Every structure is written in C-alpha cells, then in structure tokens.
C-alpha cells in the first residue's frame, strides 16, 4: 500500500469526525478538502475545509457511500490522500482498494486487513492462531444444519448466533435453554442474507455479565506496533455506546498488560497499519475474550488522546506519509482519567427515536479539562439522513472522581434548543450510584437504569420562566443570524456533470 | 419606574397543561402555578444567558420562544413547553385507548407502506416502516381495525406528529 508524503487531504465523511480530522490536517499544514451531500450545503464540516465538493443527493447511498463519487471529488480537487473517518465507507475494503488503484494514499489500514477483520469467522480464526483467547464457539465453513446443531449442543446455553458478515450487534440472536436452536438458525440465516447478502453464521457462548473493554493499537509500515491502553465502553444502550472512559475501573496492571500483548499479536498477524481497535469482553473473574477488531479510527478516540497525550489523527497522517511511528511501547503511559459522553439527536421520552430540527440555540461547554468534538452549529439543521451523533463531550481529570465532576459540570452547561437530545439521560446515568462506583456492565442501561427517572420534571420556577418567555416578559436568548434556508454558493450545474465545488480563502 | 404587567398563560409540558399566573415588573416577577407561589429575579448576560435568583437559590438559564414552542434551560436541565392553540383541549393521554389516527413518532422517510385502504388488520399488524438516521421503525396497528385512508407515500419525508394514515377502529367486543 502506498505510503508517501502528500499536501492535500480529502476527508470522506461528515459531522463531528470530519471536523476533527480536518482540524488535525490543518495543524499539519495540509490543504483540506471536504465532501458534502445536498443536505449538508451549510454543514459545519463544509466550512472547516479549504475546499468542498458536492458528491450527490442527501441519501447516503447516493453520496457518502459512493466510492466513485469520493474518488471523483479527489481528482477534481487535487487531493492526494483520503481519510475515511468512521462509519460510511471506512470499513469497506472497496474504498481502500479504489484509492490505492487511483495512485492515492489511503489514511487507514490495508484493504486486505479490513476485509479479513470484516469477516467475524475469519477474525476469530486469526485471533485463535495468534494465541488470543476467543469465546468458546464455532467459526467453521461447514454450515449444514446438522453440523451447526451439533456445535450448538457442544457450546451449550445461553448461545449467541451471529452473522459472520455482520457488525454492531445487527442480526445477532440469543438462544436460551428450551428455545428451538433449529428455528433460531433458520431465522438468523434469513436475516443475515437480507441484511448482509451472506448467510454464513458463527456460534458463540453468550457470556454475561461482561464488560466491554477495548485496546487502541497503532502500527506503521516499518513493522512497529504499539498499543495505547484501554477504553472501557460498557455503558451501552442496545449495543450503542453512550459513555467511554479510560482507564477501565476493572483492569489491574497484569490484565492490562496481557490484553495489550494479545492486541499487539493480532495486529501483527493481520498485517495492520494505522489506528485500530481490538474489542474484548471482560468477565468478573478477569478472563477476557476477543470480540472483534474495528479497522478504523473510533468515535471514542479522544479518550485515548486525553490520557496518553498522543494525537491519533496526527499519528495517522504521519504513518500515511511513510514515517516510522517513533513512539516505543514503554513511552506510552496514562495520565489521569478521561471520560466521553455522546450527545445524540434522540428523544428518551419518545423511546429514544431520532429527533430532527433546526438548532435555535447552542452553547457548548468549555473550561478546564473539557474538550468538545462537535459537528453542529447554531442555526444549522439536523436532518434525518445520517447518524444521530451531534457532538462528543470529553472530560479529563487527575482521577476518575475529578473527570466525572468535570463532565457533570460540562453537561449542565450544554444547551441545545430546537430538537430533543439525550442530554438529560446522560446526566441521569452519570449521576447514578452504579456509574459513580464504576460498576458497569454492557446490559446495564437496558436492565438496571430507571429510564423514567431520566426525565427532568420542570419545577415551578421553570414553568414561571416559560410563561414569562411566552408573554415576552423575560429576555429570550438571541440566536446567531443564519436565516433558515441560507445557502452558500452552490454549483450551478448538475452535481453529476460538474463537481467543482467552491473555494474559500486565498486559493481562488 | 418599570411598568407592572399581569398575565395568565397556559402551557403544556409532556402532555400536562398548567396555568401560570404572573405579575412581572422589570427584571423580577411573582408567579403562581399548581398551587405554588413564588418570586424570582434575573440579570441578563451579553450572550442571552441569564442569572436567575429565587430565595437562596441561584442558577443560570437560557430562554427562547420559537413559534408555539418555549425552551427553558434551568439548573442544568432543558425543558420544552408548548403553547396550546386557542381553544384546543389538552391532548388525550394513552389512558383513553387507541387512536384512529396513526401519527409519525419521529421525523423520517416512509420506507414501506404495508397495508392498503380497506384492509382489515389485527392488533400489532405492521402498517408502515419509517426510517430516520439509519434506524427503521415499524408502526403497528394499535387495535383491530380497518384501514380507512393512507395519507403518505413511500419515499416521502414526514414530520414528527403528522398523520400518516387513518384507521376505523373495530368496536370493542
């Protein structure tokens, strides 16, 4: 895979992660190119780049998910390297291959590593071969009913059936003692085929209670591989992470070292480059098992950046230019404690369904130990087409207690008017005794937190202020004057014939 | 001397309506809501932030009215109130049973319509699938019913709360 210095970087993503990568690229002195769909003409990431190219209509499969559109945008804008961010095409080996074939640099792992880790059965086999503990299960190619039923009986209950091509918990099925395994297998096959076009299944023992602990790894083209400690991501809601922190309250130094060594062994085995994450489940007896590898920069990477002091995006850019890592394992240490909360456009009072609307007031928190990675602006529209993540709020402190205090202060200072968000829910989980004690397991939010209590009940003063505002008797907060529907110079011609975008700054 | 203003205003929050009596003068006001009376005063900052005081309590606030919605951020929590249209009765809660109008529970795109007008459906029968932010949400029949009219099209983007189809509910047995 091509590794050489470049001067212009295209970021094939949107939202907060595009903004974060564009900032890193600007710090490195690179020219930056953003891509955007018709729904994102005035989006924050578009304004962060030196140049922006329209790549298609709002629907992601006609814009951010089109490999050809991304490559065409790179050609038009003279970009020599492409960073995929997370989601969209980041774990699609076709993008990595196409970038390579076009003679450009892909800021990420080799296509082959993406493909092999994208298959859950092959990832399991690779891990086993590298001496990494895997959950007792079956990952073979023989997929006959008889064989799978035999293996299921051997593994025992509770059993987890997973599509080999899946990810993010999609299409997984849990089978309890007494349930029909044959029926579950048939249903899982149908689902896997319709969702992923591949009905290959793997079987695993369903372990619980478990914590979700992941190791950040980094590899260069010169054979150097390091790990950058762990992130604890146990607080999830329906397989969606909500809080992530480092260090994990459940790891001792011995387990941390063993997990780190296992992660490095697997990273080497798959011929990895750039930033990646190896996910493990950790049981109460401190045994751990390989779950999967994410072959991209993670949403929660700022947590690692805070505790290690290492900028992962800058490191990715350097690695992509062919430079050696330059950081020995023994120089990676953790300072203090960091925790991230994900701000989502979803409504806890409405079954956590996505919400949409124009942001009429936005105040992001600041101050000691607080970092905000945000993809939204006041006056901007939050649509229904993409992932509901709006921003991430990361707190860093000398210890867990201080990090939690800082995060609580920052969440109370965060104001989003115009659409429902999960802010109240984040505050309630953070304030809960279980969370404060650090005793968190992956099924906690679904089973142990009282979601009703997450609803803030307005007191008489809130009613009074609302009535004063309705009557025009209290000063309503002013809002930035981006009129609804304001647009930036748009391409006059069809996006399919002229992908020339517009320019900002001194280039024109 | 600032003028004294008296007002009464009814607002809704999470389906509950309350009448608030106000007496405002400059940057302070007394109020009565739900049998509770009190007073508060405020200082306005440059970016619209308020410092609000009542009794021994002091906190910051943001306030904004946007059409018939009033946003209040107070004591770290955000509340959304709505101003009921004149003459409107408060919306019935779940206790009153299934509604004949099927409304969009979120803003999204209609992916599939799984019924046709005139079709009889049992309780729980999938009616249509909405998609937003990569999430699919299937709306199901709240009770045994006949589909009366379909008011949306596949591929159409619909707003939160808009009526997607109308059912004729079977009389309860």
């Amino acid at each position: 895979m091509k590794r050489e210095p470049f001067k212009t970087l295209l970021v094939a993503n949107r939202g907060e992660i595009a903004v974060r990568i564009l900032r890193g690229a600007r710090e490195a002195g690179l020219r930056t190119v953003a891509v955007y769909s018709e729904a994102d003409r005035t989006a924050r990431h578009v304004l962060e780049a030196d140049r922006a190219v329209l790549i298609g209509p709002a629907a992601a499969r006609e814009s951010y998910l089109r490999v050809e559109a991304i490559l065409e945008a790179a050609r038009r804008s003279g970009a020599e390297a492409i960073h995929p961010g997370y989601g969209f095409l980041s774990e699609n080996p076709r993008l990595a291959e196409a970038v390579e074939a076009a003679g450009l640099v892909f800021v990420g792992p080799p296509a082959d590593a993406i493909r092999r880790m994208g298959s859950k059965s092959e990832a399991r086999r690779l891990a086993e071969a590298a001496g990494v503990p895997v959950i007792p299960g079956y990952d073979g190619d023989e997929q006959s009913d008889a064989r799978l039923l035999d293996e299921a009986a051997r593994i025992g209950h509770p059993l987890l059936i997973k599509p080999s091509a899946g990810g993010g918990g999609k299409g997984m099925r849990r089978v309890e003692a007494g349930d029909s395994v044959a029926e579950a297998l048939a249903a899982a096959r149908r689902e896997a085929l319709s969702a992923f076009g591949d009905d290959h299944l793997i079987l695993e023992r369903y372990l619980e209670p478990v914590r979700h602990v992941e190791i950040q790894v980094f590899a260069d083209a010169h054979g150097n591989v390091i790990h950058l400690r762990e992130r604890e991501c146990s607080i999830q809601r329906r397989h969606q992470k909500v809080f992530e922190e480092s260090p994990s309250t459940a790891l001792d130094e011995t387990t941390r070292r063993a997990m780190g060594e296992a992660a490095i062994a697997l990273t080497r085995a798959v011929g990895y480059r750039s930033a990646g994450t190896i996910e493990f489940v950790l049981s109460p007896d401190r045994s751990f098992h390989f779950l999967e590898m994410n072959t991209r920069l993670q949403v929660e990477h700022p947590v690692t950046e805070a505790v290690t002091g290492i900028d992962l995006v800058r490191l990715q850019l350097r690695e992509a230019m062919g430079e050696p890592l330059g950081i020995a394992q023994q120089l990676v240490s953790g300072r203090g404690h960091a925790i991230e909360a994900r701000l989502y456009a979803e409504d806890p009072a409405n079954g956590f369904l996505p919400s949409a609307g124009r942001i009429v007031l936005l105040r992001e928190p600041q101050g000691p130990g607080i970092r905000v990675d945000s993809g939204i602006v006041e006056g901007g529209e939050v649509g229904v087409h993409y992932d509901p993540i709006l921003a991430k709020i990361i707190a860093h402190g000398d210890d867990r207690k201080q990090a939690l205090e800082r995060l609580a202060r920052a969440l109370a200072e965060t104001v989003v008017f115009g659409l429902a968000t999960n802010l109240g829910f984040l505050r309630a989980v953070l304030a809960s005794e279980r969370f404060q004690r650090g005793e968190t397991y992956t099924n906690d939010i679904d089973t142990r937190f009282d979601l009703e209590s997450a609803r803030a009940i307005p007191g008489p003063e809130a009613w009074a202020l609302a009535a004063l505002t309705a009557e025009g008797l209290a000063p309503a907060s002013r809002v930035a004057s981006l009129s609804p529907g304001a647009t930036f110079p748009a391409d006059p011609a069809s996006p399919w014939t002229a992908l020339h975008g517009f320019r900002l700054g001194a280039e024109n | 001397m600032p003028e004294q203003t008296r007002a009464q205003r009814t607002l809704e929050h999470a389906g509950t309506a309350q009448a608030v009596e106000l007496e405002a003068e400059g940057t302070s006001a007394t109020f009565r809501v739900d049998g509770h009376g009190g007073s508060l005063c405020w200082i306005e900052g440059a970016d619209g932030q308020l410092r609000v005081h009542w009794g021994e309590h002091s906190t910051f606030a943001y306030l904004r009215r946007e059409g018939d919605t009033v946003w209040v951020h107070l004591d770290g929590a955000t509340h959304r109130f709505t101003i009921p249209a004149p003459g409107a009765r408060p919306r019935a809660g779940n206790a009153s049973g299934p509604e004949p109008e099927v409304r969009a529970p979120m803003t999204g795109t209609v992916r599939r319509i799984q019924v046709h007008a005139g079709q009889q459906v049992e309780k729980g029968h999938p009616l249509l699938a909405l998609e937003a932010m990569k999430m699919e949400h299937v709306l199901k029949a709240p009770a045994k019913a006949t589909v009366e009219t379909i008011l949306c099209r596949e591929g159409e983007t619909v707003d939160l709360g808009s009526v997607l189809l109308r059912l004729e509910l079977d009389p309860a047995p």
Side-chain angles (χ1 to χ4, degrees):
Chain A
M1 83 193 266
K2 187 169 173 175
R3 284 304 183 240
E4 65 178 36
F6 49 86
K7 291 197 176 68
T8 303
L9 177 77
L10 180 144
V11 178
N13 216 300
R14 65 179 301 284
E16 65 87 17
I17 193 60
V19 172
R20 192 268 169 267
I21 296 163
L22 289 165
R23 282 175 169 163
R26 227 167 34 235
E27 287 167 17
L30 300 176
R31 283 178 69 242
T32 53
V33 180
V35 295
Y36 65 100
S37 74
E38 281 167 12
D40 276 343
R41 281 185 188 283
T42 60
R44 180 158 172 186
H45 78 279
V46 172
L47 298 179
E48 289 279 339
D50 295 320
R51 193 170 170 186
V53 183
L54 179 64
I55 52 167
R61 63 188 169 278
E62 295 174 57
S63 51
Y64 296 106
L65 286 172
R66 283 184 63 232
V67 172
E68 305 72 35
I70 302 291
L71 285 176
E72 177 64 13
R75 257 191 299 280
R76 297 269 175 170
S77 59
E80 307 147 85
I82 295 180
H83 194 307
Y86 59 68
F88 292 129
L89 291 167
S90 62
E91 291 183 282
N92 184 334
R94 277 183 51 230
L95 177 68
E97 267 164 12
V99 169
E100 194 82 0
L104 307 177
V105 174
F106 183 70
V107 184
D112 177 61
I114 299 175
R115 182 171 287 112
R116 291 166 80 190
M117 284 300 174
S119 154
K120 280 197 192 305
S121 48
E122 180 155 10
R124 262 181 70 98
R125 292 196 292 255
L126 271 165
E128 239 177 330
V132 177
V134 298
I135 299 171
Y138 175 71
D139 51 32
D141 285 330
E142 201 200 318
Q143 294 277 311
S144 70
D145 281 356
R147 180 66 189 270
L148 292 180
L149 285 170
D150 271 2
E151 295 289 346
R154 179 181 64 80
I155 296 162
H157 296 287
L159 178 76
L160 190 64
I161 305 176
K162 294 182 182 178
S164 179
K170 210 170 173 187
M172 296 200 309
R173 240 160 220 281
R174 181 181 163 161
V175 185
E176 303 290 343
D179 293 352
S180 163
V181 179
E183 270 175 34
L185 284 172
R189 277 208 183 102
R190 275 197 307 275
E191 260 179 42
L193 194 61
S194 81
F196 310 109
D198 177 357
D199 66 356
H200 197 110
L201 300 176
I202 65 172
L203 308 178
E204 278 178 355
R205 182 70 186 259
Y206 188 91
L207 299 179
E208 71 173 355
V210 289
R211 290 174 184 255
H212 175 120
V213 178
E214 58 188 30
I215 300 280
Q216 174 73 51
V217 293
F218 203 99
D220 68 12
H222 307 274
N224 302 303
V225 184
I226 58 169
H227 77 82
L228 292 95
R229 305 172 71 84
E230 80 279 5
R231 290 183 295 258
E232 156 97 43
C233 312
S234 294
I235 291 288
Q236 306 184 359
R237 206 186 61 77
R238 295 186 205 149
H239 304 289
Q240 177 95 284
K241 293 169 186 170
V242 182
F243 286 96
E244 300 100 342
E245 58 184 308
S246 185
S248 162
T249 57
L251 278 197
D252 55 17
E253 209 39 60
T254 314
T255 316
R256 175 175 294 118
R257 195 173 311 118
M259 220 181 237
E261 281 164 9
I264 287 178
L266 181 54
T267 306
R268 272 192 204 288
V270 74
Y272 204 77
R273 313 256 189 287
S274 196
T277 294
I278 316 247
E279 298 190 344
F280 295 98
V281 288
L282 178 71
S283 297
D285 66 0
R286 295 214 173 99
S287 65
F288 61 86
H289 296 92
F290 170 71
L291 201 58
E292 63 180 28
M293 180 169 190
N294 296 315
T295 52
R296 54 174 157 84
L297 190 68
Q298 299 270 110
V299 176
E300 58 270 27
H301 76 276
V303 166
T304 298
E305 295 185 325
V307 294
T308 63
I310 292 169
D311 184 322
L312 286 166
V313 170
R314 294 294 299 275
L315 205 56
Q316 281 191 303
L317 295 174
R318 270 173 40 197
E319 188 283 319
M321 292 187 185
E323 289 178 37
L325 196 45
I327 303 166
Q329 184 67 60
Q330 58 269 28
L331 293 179
V332 179
S333 60
R335 191 187 76 75
H337 197 99
I339 179 162
E340 172 181 285
R342 298 189 185 188
L343 181 63
Y344 284 116
E346 61 182 23
D347 187 359
N350 186 21
F352 287 92
L353 289 178
S355 58
R358 194 165 88 93
I359 297 171
V360 297
L361 186 90
L362 175 67
R363 293 292 180 272
E364 294 176 347
Q366 304 172 1
I370 297 299
R371 162 174 171 181
V372 181
D373 278 20
S374 163
I376 51 174
V377 286
E378 192 169 276
E381 197 75 43
V382 175
V384 296
H385 298 286
Y386 315 110
D387 193 276
I389 195 162
L390 298 173
K392 307 177 306 205
I393 298 154
I394 305 102
H396 188 209
D398 295 336
D399 52 24
R400 187 169 191 267
K401 183 170 173 290
Q402 192 187 38
L404 262 47
E405 288 164 355
R406 283 184 163 160
L407 186 59
R409 188 263 298 166
L411 291 178
E413 285 177 9
T414 306
V415 186
V416 183
F417 285 174
L419 71 162
T421 72
N422 66 339
L423 252 175
F425 171 72
L426 293 174
R427 293 182 68 220
V429 174
L430 183 62
S432 72
E433 206 196 320
R434 291 190 66 80
F435 194 89
Q436 290 286 326
R437 283 204 310 265
E439 288 170 21
T440 50
Y441 292 89
T442 48
N443 56 355
D444 271 352
I445 290 188
D446 298 325
T447 60
R448 292 202 177 95
F449 285 101
D450 177 10
L451 297 183
E452 282 301 310
S453 72
R455 283 182 208 179
I457 313 281
E461 289 78 16
W463 282 94
L465 287 167
L468 286 163
T469 308
E471 293 290 328
L473 295 171
S477 307
R478 282 179 285 270
V479 67
S481 62
L482 181 64
S483 61
T487 52
F488 295 91
D491 305 69
S494 150
W496 313 117
T497 52
L499 280 160
H500 61 268
F502 66 87
R503 284 158 185 263
L504 296 172
E507 288 184 358
N508 224 350
Chain B
M1 274 294 284
E3 204 180 320
Q4 204 181 59
T5 313
R6 281 165 178 272
Q8 181 171 347
R9 166 63 78 168
T10 299
L11 292 168
E12 272 182 43
H13 178 270
T16 308
Q18 300 260 32
V20 186
E21 290 168 45
L22 298 169
E23 212 173 288
E25 188 176 336
T27 59
S28 66
T30 58
F31 59 88
R32 176 158 285 279
V33 55
D34 197 21
H36 177 104
S39 62
L40 48 77
C41 62
W42 61 85
I43 303 164
E44 188 186 0
D47 79 332
Q49 185 178 339
L50 304 182
R51 173 58 54 176
V52 182
H53 302 274
W54 65 87
E56 296 295 299
H57 198 83
S58 170
T59 185
F60 82 96
Y62 284 93
L63 308 171
R64 188 167 168 84
R65 177 175 174 172
E66 193 69 21
D68 61 359
T69 303
V70 176
W71 296 88
V72 174
H73 185 87
L74 185 71
D75 262 341
T78 299
H79 308 285
R80 177 187 200 154
F81 296 87
T82 47
I83 300 171
R89 289 187 303 118
R91 258 206 1 246
N94 295 336
S96 64
E99 303 258 344
E101 289 176 338
V102 176
R103 292 170 186 273
M106 60 183 184
T107 301
T109 308
V110 179
R111 265 294 145 244
R112 291 186 307 279
I113 297 175
Q114 291 162 282
V115 289
H116 54 82
Q119 186 176 340
Q120 290 202 335
V121 291
E122 293 295 324
K123 180 179 177 178
H125 185 94
L127 301 172
L128 52 86
L130 268 185
E131 189 187 277
M133 298 174 180
K134 302 193 297 187
M135 216 181 98
E136 197 175 277
H137 185 73
V138 178
L139 299 186
K140 294 175 178 164
K144 189 172 178 186
T146 306
V147 179
E148 195 187 281
T149 359
I150 294 173
L151 299 159
C152 58
R153 286 187 326 266
E154 286 187 3
E156 185 185 347
T157 301
V158 293
D159 289 328
L160 172 72
S162 60
V163 180
L164 302 177
L165 50 86
R166 201 165 280 130
L167 299 172
E168 193 184 318
L169 298 172
D170 275 23

